[in-house]
């Protein structure tokens, strides 16, 4: 049970409070933290509400998302453009409006759930995370590296670079009910030169302990002319997904079922991205 609640007014103060009490946790929207049962729930929390981390900036350079920006704000602020539209689609997939009104982008990343709806698109967009370390230094690292680490630093901002004009993404997920967390999700981003794929980033959720990029699949797609035969390129990707992931079994589904879902969703996401890029079938 939460017994002490701290309300710092600067990131440095928040980090200092955690340094003094390493068992305390940052509290953002609380959708994750408040649903923890004792004894897992921390007994001290440090609220991030008063730190001014709720700014969202969309520009031609990209999108800067304060850690405390809610998923509903990100969804409602969407502008025309592949990155903004992709993030809005990801946010719209999350639970329901009540959850999205509270859940924050920083909290979604820090919680790093296997089935996070936001992390795969952010990985595909090459997002970077600005954090304040426990000794008060500000560092910016790739989201992928942040996820690989202990994720104990305070997230300040998420920086999404503007993708190239020829970048197109497909995001597909499967869930039992609209309100439920995704069993599996796949996000595919393709950079096209005409009908040729010159760059690919592919990230999956729900198949491992945390969302992950699968470079083996990316390499199978890069440097191929999608107009040649999109179905045979999807078959190559399908071969790679079977070789490179071992889905986890959890209460949402068994490994075999998740593999079948992942294969189908990968094909769907690739075709979706390629069609947006002007490839015809
Ligand atoms: C009913 C329900 C449905 C849900 N559906 C979905 C869904 O469909 N898709 C999905 O992706 N998620 C879903 N979630 C999960 C959850 O909403 C998200 O993970 C949410 O974005 C967490 O953000 P928060 O602000 O509520 O985090 P909190 O609960 O406040 O914190 C979560 C964790 O992150 C840490 N943290 C928070 N902010 C920071 C920060 N800035 N820096 C460092 N650490 C930080 C906290 O210490 C805590 O450990 C659902 C949750 C619920 C309860």
């Amino acid at each position: 049970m939460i017994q002490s609640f701290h309300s710092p007014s600067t990131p440095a103060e928040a980090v200092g409070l955690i340094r003094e009490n390493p068992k305390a946790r940052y509290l953002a929207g609380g959708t994750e933290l408040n649903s923890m049962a004792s004894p897992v729930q921390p007994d001290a929390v440090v609220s991030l509400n008063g730190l001014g981390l709720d700014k969202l900036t969309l520009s031609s350079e990209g999108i800067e998302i304060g850690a405390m920006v809610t998923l509903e704000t990100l969804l409602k602020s969407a502008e025309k453009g592949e990155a903004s539209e992709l993030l809005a689609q990801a946010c719209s997939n999350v639970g329901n409006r009540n959850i999205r009104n509270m859940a924050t982008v920083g909290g979604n990343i820090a919680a790093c759930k296997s089935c996070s709806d936001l992390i795969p698109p952010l990985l595909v967009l090459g997002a970077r995370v600005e954090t304040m370390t426990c000794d008060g230094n500000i560092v910016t690292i790739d989201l992928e590296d942040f996820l690989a680490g202990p994720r104990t630093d305070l997230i300040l901002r998420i920086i999404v670079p503007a993708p190239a004009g020829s970048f197109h993404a497909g995001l597909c997920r499967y869930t039992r009910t609209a309100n439920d967390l995704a069993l599996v999700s796949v996000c595919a981003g393709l950079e096209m030169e005409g009908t040729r794929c010159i760059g690919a980033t592919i990230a999956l959720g729900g198949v491992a302990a945390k969302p992950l990029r699968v470079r083996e699949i990316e390499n199978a797609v890069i440097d191929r002319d999608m107009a040649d035969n999109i179905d045979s390129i999807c078959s190559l990707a399908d071969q790679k997904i079977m070789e490179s992931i071992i889905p986890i079994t959890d209460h949402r589904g068994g490994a075999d079922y998740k593999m079948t879902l992942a294969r189908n969703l990968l094909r769907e996401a690739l075709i979706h991205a390629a069609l947006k890029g002007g490839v015809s079938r």
Side-chain angles (χ1 to χ4, degrees):
M1 194 167 49
I2 296 171
Q3 295 186 355
S4 63
F5 184 92
H6 302 272
S7 300
S9 50
T10 64
E13 209 186 317
V15 165
L17 284 160
I18 295 284
R19 201 169 42 233
E20 280 165 24
N21 179 3
K23 286 194 177 156
R25 290 287 171 267
Y26 295 122
L27 176 68
T31 58
E32 199 65 41
L33 208 107
N34 286 329
S35 56
M36 288 175 178
S38 289
V40 190
Q41 195 177 53
D43 60 8
V45 294
V46 175
S47 168
L48 304 181
N49 250 328
L51 309 187
L53 298 179
D54 54 357
K55 292 186 184 59
L56 174 65
T57 315
L58 293 99
S59 73
S60 55
E61 308 279 290
I63 308 174
E64 289 182 14
I65 311 164
M68 289 295 284
V69 168
T70 66
L71 305 189
E72 187 67 11
T73 299
L74 189 54
L75 168 59
K76 287 284 153 60
S77 314
E79 288 182 357
K80 217 168 159 44
E82 203 63 21
S84 181
E85 287 171 16
L86 179 61
L87 292 177
Q89 184 191 349
C91 290
S92 74
N93 286 337
V94 173
N96 53 57
R97 198 182 300 146
N98 293 342
I99 292 293
R100 292 195 301 267
N101 272 334
M102 296 304 295
T104 64
V105 177
N108 194 283
I109 291 174
C112 192
K113 291 177 92 76
S114 163
C115 52
S116 158
D117 277 302
L118 235 61
I119 294 177
L122 285 170
L123 285 171
V124 162
L125 290 167
R128 291 171 66 72
V129 182
E130 184 184 86
T131 64
M132 184 175 277
T133 62
C134 61
D135 44 15
N137 292 322
I138 294 182
V139 293
T140 305
I141 57 170
D142 285 341
L143 172 61
E144 197 177 12
D145 295 333
F146 178 78
L147 298 179
R151 303 192 310 280
T152 45
D153 292 344
L154 172 63
I155 301 173
L156 302 173
R157 278 192 309 160
I158 297 90
I159 301 152
V160 181
S166 53
F167 170 91
H168 300 280
L171 172 61
C172 299
R173 82 200 276 263
Y174 181 79
T175 172
R176 284 183 203 283
T177 70
N179 238 342
D180 211 348
L181 290 147
L183 265 109
V184 175
S185 67
V186 178
C187 187
L190 304 180
E191 200 181 327
M192 308 292 288
E193 198 173 74
T195 54
R196 192 169 199 83
C197 170
I198 55 165
T201 33
I202 292 165
L204 276 73
V207 295
K210 45 188 156 185
L212 73 168
R213 252 181 89 173
V214 188
R215 288 184 169 74
E216 292 86 345
I217 309 175
E218 296 172 1
N219 293 336
V221 177
I222 294 173
D223 226 13
R224 301 208 178 259
D225 193 333
M226 297 297 228
D228 280 351
N229 186 345
I230 195 166
D231 289 308
S232 70
I233 293 167
C234 286
S235 299
L236 267 175
D238 184 50
Q239 188 60 40
K240 290 294 169 195
I241 197 173
M242 287 193 290
E243 289 167 11
S244 45
I245 65 163
I246 305 172
I248 48 167
T249 291
D250 59 19
H251 61 284
R252 292 202 172 79
D256 289 350
Y257 180 47
K258 286 190 175 194
M259 178 61 98
T260 305
L261 284 176
R263 292 174 61 193
N264 287 323
L265 292 170
L266 173 63
R267 175 175 290 268
E268 219 182 296
L270 283 171
I271 291 175
H272 193 64
L275 294 182
K276 277 164 86 184
V279 175
S280 48
R281 284 188 95 187

